[in-house]
Amino acid sequence: MTFKKSIALLLSGSMLAAAALTGCGSDNTAAAVSNTAGKDLLDQIQARGSITVAMEGTWAPWTYHDENDELVGYDVEVAKLIANELGVDVNFVEGEWDGLLAGLDDGRYDIMVNGVGVTPERQGKYDFSVSVISYFSLIAALGITTYAVREGTKYRGDQEKMNQFASEIFSINLYATIVSYILLFLALMFVDKLKSYNIVIGILSLEILLATLSVVWIYNIYEDFGYITFVTFILQFVSIILMLLFVHSADDLYKYVIISVISSSGSGLFMFFHSRKYVQLHLVKKPPLKHLKPIMIVFSTTIAATIYISSDTTILGWLTDDYHVGIYGTAAKIYKIVKQVLNAVVAVVIPRFAFYIGTQEKDKILQLGRKLIDYMVAFCCPAMVGLFCLSKPIVEEFAGASFSEAYIPLQLLSIALVFAVFANFFSNCVLISYKKEKIVMFATILSAVINIVLNFILIPRYQESAAAFTTIIAEVCVCVISAYESRKIIKINCTARNLISTIIGCVGIVICCMLAAKVIENQIYLILVSVIVSGLVYAVVLILMKNTVITDVLERFVRGARG
């Protein structure tokens, strides 16, 4: 069997597995019943010559009354179009949401045309499913990316060795992916708690294969971040359009999940084929065992990291309900977006840092490390402070009023932000590069155990706030241990002047946000004004106190402007 056929077979198999898993749910029966009922209802409407449409009439611009008290709006026009296509008259009935649903069930209305927003319960079902998938994605990924980036940089100048190394690593990744799908199928078959989530989990499982095909570690080895950024941006732009076109109601949950998979993992296919620019991959039936030990050490660390990252959502879903998972999931999403942006700075530097360590260029290691820490301080601290101050308007504006309770866990998570980014630097940039995976594994496992124990103790009483608090404890634990052990190897310090100017600048951010909140009521304007004004104040403070980071940024900007 050729390598391409193996990939095609695995892709087809994973899609069939996803289809089989989704078939375990009860929705197929419901759809068949509703189709039959729909045909009988259509006959009644056409015989009657009219269709009765239920809607709230109070949700502009979808359904509302104009200055002449006439029912208008997008949903009204949709209902009229339906009636016109059927060749019948339309009768509108307005009422409260819950009453409309009850009337629809009782047959008092033929159809209901009304916008449906995302609720914490619906979001919670999706978030819980994502947390479950993360464990099986972990099994498929092993510790391959971290190990491959560290070791692969040695072969960049030797194409033949690089082809063989990349093929061995990718083959291990493929075999782990197959094992992951088998375990996922067994879990969905025999774990009762997961059966009501089968369809969502089945669709999300495609992310496992797409992550394997992405071979992101090849791009990291060659420091090609431009292509990843380009493809990801295009797919996310397309996904936004697809969301607007196809996701309109609660019944569109599965469409939302499919589009989310395209947005988050669809780039995997493009990256796989584009990787031929750097390496020629082939299937290695028996990869050498020399890779397994270091991969498994990193894997153990990654397991613990995934547990303390995802266990909050999983345990919250197990001990409470979809509502609390949805509230926490909203806060966690905002937190992760900011965290990923900040961690991207570290990720770009890791290959270069590992290269300097390999060539034993200590002066360059210290120079690069100090510069990176100064940058992290300059960007992480204002991000933490700003996110804490603006958490409520951010949640309500971008998630909706029904998620307003998410601002408290978001404030707690914002505190974890600085510790998380610095833990990433000391663990992946320093310790892993110096082949101290066992220390990282110890720190991560300890944090995971503390996180799980505290979750089981605190979540029954404090729900999503407890989940956020345990994340702070876990991130602090990893950060402290990693920083302490890193300094035994190499002492990389932050510039004192930069640290002081950053703290003073953050005080300015707090003052700006507090003043803006007192005079601005509109949430969007509050966020925009707070970010712009506090950002300017922060920049001015750094310039006046001669912070080297802002100086470097301005110099780069001037050089870029001059061409």
Side-chain angles (χ1 to χ4, degrees):
M1 183 180 293
T2 66
F3 183 62
K4 289 183 179 179
K5 287 183 178 178
S6 300
I7 294 297
L9 181 60
L10 185 58
L11 180 59
S12 302
S14 66
M15 293 180 70
L16 288 171
L21 293 173
T22 58
C24 295
S26 60
D27 292 56
N28 292 339
T29 302
V33 172
S34 62
N35 285 339
T36 303
K39 186 178 184 303
D40 293 339
L41 177 60
L42 179 60
D43 292 339
Q44 294 173 20
I45 292 171
Q46 290 177 329
R48 189 193 316 137
S50 65
I51 182 171
T52 303
V53 179
M55 57 180 57
E56 288 180 290
T58 57
W59 193 12
W62 312 106
T63 63
Y64 65 102
H65 288 261
D66 62 14
E67 60 275 7
N68 299 319
D69 201 31
E70 182 180 351
L71 185 63
V72 295
Y74 177 82
D75 290 339
V76 175
E77 296 303 317
V78 169
K80 290 179 179 178
L81 182 61
I82 292 172
N84 184 61
E85 288 295 319
L86 294 177
V88 297
D89 297 328
V90 58
N91 299 318
F92 292 106
V93 177
E94 301 173 55
E96 295 288 336
W97 172 259
D98 292 338
L100 294 179
L101 288 175
L104 192 64
D105 290 337
D106 293 340
R108 295 197 297 272
Y109 323 121
D110 296 319
I111 63 172
M112 181 174 172
V113 181
N114 206 87
V116 181
V118 176
T119 67
E121 290 82 4
R122 297 178 193 127
Q123 187 64 51
K125 185 172 184 177
Y126 172 78
D127 291 338
F128 180 76
S129 301
V130 170
S131 74
V132 172
I133 282 293
S134 68
Y135 301 112
F136 296 94
S137 298
L138 173 65
I139 295 171
L142 293 176
I144 285 172
T145 297
T146 301
Y147 171 76
V149 172
R150 188 189 72 190
E151 298 298 319
T153 53
K154 301 175 183 177
Y155 305 116
R156 284 198 299 190
D158 190 325
Q159 190 61 54
E160 184 177 346
K161 288 185 178 179
M162 176 57 81
N163 288 341
Q164 184 61 29
F165 171 78
S167 296
E168 290 170 357
I169 297 301
F170 183 67
S171 298
I172 293 172
N173 208 168
L174 279 179
Y175 297 143
T177 299
I178 294 171
V179 172
S180 175
Y181 272 110
I182 293 172
L183 294 176
L184 175 61
F185 182 80
L186 292 174
L188 293 178
M189 288 292 291
F190 298 108
V191 179
D192 290 337
K193 173 69 177 179
L194 301 180
K195 289 182 178 178
S196 61
Y197 299 88
N198 274 355
I199 296 178
V200 177
I201 291 176
I203 298 171
L204 287 172
S205 69
L206 290 172
E207 291 185 349
I208 299 174
L209 176 64
L210 291 171
T212 299
L213 293 179
S214 71
V215 289
V216 67
W217 43 273
I218 293 177
Y219 292 86
N220 286 338
I221 290 172
Y222 286 94
E223 300 182 56
D224 181 3
F225 305 103
Y227 183 78
I228 299 174
T229 303
F230 173 74
V231 174
T232 302
F233 174 78
I234 294 297
L235 285 176
Q236 290 185 346
F237 178 75
V238 171
S239 297
I240 291 173
I241 295 175
L242 293 175
M243 288 283 189
L244 294 173
L245 290 175
F246 297 107
V247 179
H248 303 119
S249 71
D251 295 332
D252 295 330
L253 173 63
Y254 304 133
K255 295 178 185 177
Y256 170 77
V257 177
I258 292 171
I259 296 171
S260 296
V261 171
I262 294 173
S263 174
S264 63
S265 305
S267 58
L269 282 175
F270 296 94
M271 292 170 65
F272 175 73
F273 290 110
H274 186 262
S275 67
R276 288 180 292 183
K277 174 182 177 181
Y278 300 109
V279 296
Q280 297 298 318
L281 296 173
H282 62 272
L283 184 64
V284 179
K285 293 183 179 179
K286 295 182 179 180
L289 297 178
K290 65 180 181 179
H291 298 305
L292 292 182
K293 183 178 178 180
I295 283 176
M296 294 309 294
I297 291 175
V298 177
F299 177 54
S300 301
T301 303
T302 312
I303 287 177
T306 301
I307 288 174
Y308 87 69
I309 290 171
S310 300
S311 66
D312 300 334
T313 302
T314 308
I315 296 173
L316 192 62
W318 225 282
L319 298 181
T320 59
D321 53 35
D322 287 340
Y323 174 81
H324 293 291
V325 174
I327 292 295
Y328 178 72
T330 298
K333 279 186 179 66
I334 299 171
Y335 163 73
K336 287 176 182 177
I337 289 171
V338 179
K339 178 181 172 182
Q340 287 170 355
V341 171
L342 295 172
N343 274 334
V345 178
V346 179
V348 170
V349 175
I350 288 176
R352 182 64 54 187
F353 207 82
F355 177 77
Y356 288 152
I357 290 172
T359 55
Q360 298 182 345
E361 299 180 68
K362 188 173 182 179
D363 290 340
K364 290 186 177 180
I365 294 170
L366 288 171
Q367 183 181 1
L368 181 61
R370 187 180 299 111
K371 185 175 183 179
L372 181 57
I373 283 185
D374 284 340
Y375 264 81
M376 289 192 301
V377 169
F379 286 100
C380 290
C381 292
M384 175 191 71
V385 173
L387 191 60
F388 185 93
C389 294
L390 297 174
S391 59
K392 191 166 186 178
I394 287 174
V395 167
E396 293 184 353
E397 190 59 40
F398 294 101
S402 58
F403 290 87
S404 60
E405 293 182 21
Y407 88 91
I408 295 177
L410 180 57
Q411 286 184 327
L412 292 171
L413 288 172
S414 68
I415 298 172
L417 196 61
V418 172
F419 298 103
V421 176
F422 274 84
N424 181 38
F425 168 72
F426 289 118
S427 297
N428 294 317
C429 211
V430 180
L431 294 176
I432 295 293
S433 296
Y434 277 99
K435 299 185 178 182
K436 300 295 182 180
E437 296 94 343
K438 291 183 180 180
I439 295 175
V440 178
M441 180 177 67
F442 167 76
T444 313
I445 290 175
L446 177 62
S447 300
V449 171
I450 293 173
N451 182 269
I452 291 172
V453 171
L454 289 177
N455 273 330
F456 276 107
I457 293 173
L458 299 176
I459 282 178
R461 184 171 182 178
Y462 300 105
Q463 292 88 37
E464 59 273 7
S465 295
F469 174 75
T470 58
T471 298
I472 298 176
I473 301 301
E475 298 288 14
V476 169
C477 183
V478 175
C479 183
V480 170
I481 295 174
S482 300
Y484 176 77
E485 294 295 335
S486 293
R487 289 185 63 81
K488 291 181 180 180
I489 302 171
I490 185 168
K491 294 183 179 180
I492 304 174
N493 298 313
C494 173
T495 306
R497 178 187 294 174
N498 289 348
L499 178 61
I500 294 171
S501 61
T502 297
I503 293 173
I504 295 174
C506 287
V507 172
I509 291 175
V510 173
I511 294 172
C512 290
C513 291
M514 290 176 63
L515 292 175
K518 288 183 177 296
V519 298
I520 302 174
E521 294 184 1
N522 184 280
Q523 304 280 42
I524 283 288
Y525 292 151
L526 174 59
I527 295 170
L528 290 176
V529 170
S530 297
V531 170
I532 294 172
V533 175
S534 63
L536 289 173
V537 169
Y538 181 72
V540 169
V541 170
L542 264 57
I543 291 172
L544 292 176
M545 298 191 68
K546 298 180 180 180
N547 186 294
T548 58
V549 173
I550 192 69
T551 303
D552 185 47
V553 170
L554 290 175
E555 288 177 354
R556 288 173 181 269
F557 177 78
V558 171
R559 286 199 301 267
R562 290 175 178 174

